[in-house]
């Protein structure tokens, strides 16, 4: 591919995703688009974002890659778990569940609290999500944890950089999706690491801005997450492999 775009954490923000996609030209068959994960939670339309990303992958299967983030893995852990309601209790205002299920289904489940427990509500909501969105859930399970080009390594959070060239074999799944703090010095993996996950605001502490963090690009790191759910800023990176130039849209 000649042009590679990267879009970080979407967190249920569908209008911002649509706006970002106006900056991406997939009519060029040499272009590719890498989503860096975290499609759900926080924002108002997790289901809409997941559906849009899945549809785009289906429409451009050789050009669009959607990686997994920690929030997708947490959602799947909740679905696959027994009666663990941790994820549900962390869903403030049930904003994510409300994007997946009709209001009347949620209200009925919550009403069961009068004669049951949070475990009963948890089991009911999980069952409804899987019954209504099983195909989407299975698609989520298939999301890769990293994507490579000749020059770049795209990942949600990071890799085990101490492993050097052996990073692929030595990096635990949790590091791919949850690595913290971010690596800011020279990388030993041999490629520029492009990640989301870590809001770039603290990296710009003096300026207080949320644009991409790229001062370490020559050393091998680019961070893109502008905390779209709070700021409305959805950073997009564009890399041209012919001119070897990187721009931020």
């Amino acid at each position: 591919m000649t042009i590679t775009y990267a879009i970080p954490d979407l967190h249920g923000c569908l209008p911002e995703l649509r706006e970002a996609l106006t900056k991406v030209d997939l009519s060029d068959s040499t272009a590719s688009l890498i989503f860096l994960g975290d499609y759900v939670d926080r924002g108002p339309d997790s289901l809409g974002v997941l559906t849009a990303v899945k549809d785009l992958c289906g429409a451009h299967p050789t050009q669009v890659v959607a990686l997994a983030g920690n929030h997708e893995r947490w959602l799947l852990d909740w679905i696959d778990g027994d009666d663990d309601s941790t994820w549900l209790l962390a869903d403030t205002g049930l904003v994510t569940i409300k994007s997946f299920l009709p209001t009347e289904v949620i209200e009925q489940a919550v009403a069961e609290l009068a004669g049951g427990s949070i475990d009963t509500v948890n089991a009911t909501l999980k069952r409804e999500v899987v019954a209504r969105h099983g195909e989407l859930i299975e698609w989520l399970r298939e999301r890769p944890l990293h994507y490579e080009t000749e020059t770049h390594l795209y990942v949600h959070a990071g890799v085990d950089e101490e492993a050097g060239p052996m990073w692929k074999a030595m990096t635990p799944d949790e590091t791919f999706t949850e690595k913290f703090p971010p690596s800011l010095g020279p990388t030993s993996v041999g490629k520029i690491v492009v990640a989301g996950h870590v809001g770039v605001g603290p990296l710009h502490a003096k300026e207080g801005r949320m644009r991409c963090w790229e001062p370490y690009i020559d050393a091998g790191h680019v961070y893109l997450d502008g905390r779209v759910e709070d700021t409305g800023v959805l950073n997009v990176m564009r890399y041209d492999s012919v001119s070897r130039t990187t721009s931020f849209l």
Side-chain angles (χ1 to χ4, degrees):
M1 297 293 184
T2 300
I3 304 294
T4 303
Y5 301 92
I7 298 180
D9 312 45
L10 298 171
H11 282 301
C13 296
L14 186 57
E16 291 83 354
L17 168 59
R18 289 172 173 161
E19 172 62 23
L21 290 176
T22 65
K23 304 170 185 178
V24 175
D25 182 13
L26 292 177
S27 66
D28 177 359
S29 61
T30 68
S32 62
L33 168 61
I34 316 300
F35 288 106
L36 300 180
D38 274 12
Y39 312 108
V40 304
D41 295 339
R42 299 179 180 168
D45 198 357
S46 292
L47 176 62
V49 165
L50 277 177
T51 301
V53 172
K54 179 178 180 293
D55 288 348
L56 201 59
C57 288
H60 304 275
T62 63
Q63 293 176 271
V64 180
V65 176
L67 302 179
N70 55 301
H71 283 261
E72 287 74 61
R73 292 176 62 86
W74 292 344
L75 173 61
L76 292 174
D77 286 345
W78 171 68
I79 288 174
D80 295 338
D82 295 329
D83 291 322
D84 185 0
S85 58
T86 303
W87 179 86
L88 183 66
L89 293 172
D91 184 16
T92 304
L94 297 181
V95 64
T96 303
I97 282 293
K98 287 177 180 178
S99 76
F100 281 96
L101 299 176
T103 301
E104 59 270 21
V105 172
I106 297 173
E107 289 178 347
Q108 182 177 351
V110 172
E112 295 176 358
L113 272 175
S117 67
I118 186 62
D119 290 343
T120 303
V121 175
N122 191 58
T124 298
L125 294 178
K126 284 199 295 185
R127 183 172 62 250
E128 290 289 340
V129 169
V130 173
R132 295 167 184 269
H133 306 291
E135 183 179 343
L136 188 60
I137 297 301
E138 291 309 308
W139 176 81
L140 264 185
R141 296 186 192 281
E142 299 169 354
R143 296 308 89 212
L145 298 178
H146 55 81
Y147 179 80
E148 290 182 87
T149 67
E150 291 184 0
T151 53
H152 290 67
L153 166 59
Y154 297 88
V155 67
H156 176 63
V159 300
D160 181 357
E161 300 196 15
E162 292 184 2
M166 296 295 292
W167 65 267
K168 190 180 299 185
M170 300 299 293
T171 301
D173 288 355
E174 290 76 14
T175 300
F176 283 120
T177 59
E178 300 184 42
K179 181 179 179 180
F180 188 85
S183 297
L184 298 179
T187 180
S188 61
V189 303
K191 297 182 179 184
I192 295 173
V193 178
V194 181
H197 189 58
V198 178
V200 295
L203 301 178
H204 289 299
K206 293 183 179 180
E207 298 93 337
R209 53 199 171 105
M210 292 299 287
R211 73 174 177 82
C212 310
W213 174 260
E214 74 282 357
Y216 286 93
I217 189 168
D218 291 334
H221 296 95
V222 179
Y223 293 99
L224 298 179
D225 181 13
R227 287 292 190 261
V228 61
E229 68 275 12
D230 296 323
T231 66
V233 176
L234 187 55
N235 296 316
V236 181
M237 185 186 106
R238 180 183 185 274
Y239 177 72
D240 185 327
S241 65
V242 174
S243 62
R244 296 186 178 183
T245 56
T246 302
S247 54
F248 300 97
L249 312 176

